[in-house]
Amino acid sequence: MRITGGIARSLKLKSPKGDFIRPSADSSRERLFSSLGDVVRGKTFLDLFAGTGACGLEALSRGAETVVFVEPNPKAQRIIIQNLEKCKMTSNEEPPRWDLLKSSALTGLKTLRDRGLGFDLIYVDPPFAASLYEPTLLELSSSGVLRRDAVVVVEHFHKTVLLKNYDKLKFYKDRRLGDSCLLFFNFEDSL
């Protein structure tokens, strides 16, 4: 598993032993960031279900202003920190370019709202077998953490059927990647 672009390109990331996390494949991340293009530069990025942190690290490498990783598993949290160190992204910058919330995605969204944080790009990749897509996307839509015209990208198993809209999240394109699919949603706030 490697960073596929930006200042940390080709750096090998630490992967977990065992199967408690399903890291995003290099090809999935490369396709995701190719689809997003330069829109990542200078934006705020939320990596829900962060796992190894590979997507958030990719965003930092490609010029995201800030990244928040949300991950409840202590082993995965340690891997995220180790990967940040490996990519030399743990400096004492003020303000810091990243934060790690040690919580579930739904609890993390409430914490982020309470902190008054907003995001331009959100990556949602829950465990494929879990039934977390609908509750997460509905909570995300009403959470108050999405900036106007935010883009939400959801990775899912290709046989999993997701809706085209989740309240204010409106589907606009998809990409098939082997057994995975990426669905892209725009946040359409009527205010």
Side-chain angles (χ1 to χ4, degrees):
M1 190 171 63
R2 297 180 185 280
I3 298 291
T4 64
I7 61 170
R9 183 183 186 135
S10 298
L11 281 175
K12 189 172 182 183
L13 299 175
K14 183 171 177 57
S15 297
K17 290 181 173 51
D19 60 359
F20 74 97
I21 293 177
R22 177 191 45 78
S24 293
D26 294 358
S27 58
S28 292
R29 279 183 283 105
E30 191 163 26
R31 189 86 172 268
L32 164 65
F33 285 93
S34 290
S35 293
L36 293 172
D38 286 338
V39 86
V40 176
R41 185 167 299 287
K43 301 295 186 189
T44 54
F45 190 93
L46 177 58
D47 189 355
L48 284 174
F49 307 97
T52 63
C55 275
L57 285 157
E58 191 81 46
L60 284 170
S61 179
R62 291 172 182 254
E65 181 182 324
T66 57
V67 172
V68 173
F69 302 91
V70 179
E71 177 55 52
N73 186 297
K75 288 180 186 175
Q77 293 163 7
R78 285 191 293 277
I79 289 171
I80 291 169
I81 297 298
Q82 290 168 354
N83 282 333
L84 283 159
E85 289 168 349
K86 199 166 203 180
C87 293
K88 298 181 179 16
M89 294 179 180
T90 56
S91 68
N92 295 327
E93 294 178 277
E94 285 300 326
R97 291 188 58 215
W98 62 270
D99 191 12
L100 171 59
L101 282 184
K102 299 175 179 181
S103 70
S104 70
L106 295 177
T107 301
L109 288 172
K110 291 179 178 97
T111 301
L112 294 168
R113 180 195 61 227
D114 292 347
R115 291 182 183 178
L117 297 177
F119 298 91
D120 303 299
L121 300 167
I122 300 85
Y123 180 68
V124 179
D125 184 17
F128 281 177
S131 299
L132 296 171
Y133 292 100
E134 185 168 352
T136 301
L137 293 170
L138 288 172
E139 180 66 30
L140 187 57
S141 178
S142 65
S143 68
V145 303
L146 298 177
R147 291 184 173 160
R148 185 179 294 268
D149 299 322
V151 173
V152 176
V153 183
V154 180
E155 185 170 344
H156 66 92
F157 184 62
H158 72 99
K159 290 185 179 179
T160 302
V161 177
L162 298 181
L163 301 175
K164 295 297 183 186
N165 299 312
Y166 291 91
D167 193 19
K168 297 175 185 175
L169 294 178
K170 309 299 181 195
F171 168 83
Y172 72 94
K173 73 177 175 179
D174 62 1
R175 297 285 181 264
R176 174 84 184 260
L177 310 162
D179 284 345
S180 298
C181 287
L182 294 175
L183 289 183
F184 292 76
F185 295 87
N186 275 327
F187 177 61
E188 296 180 0
D189 193 0
S190 57
L191 297 177

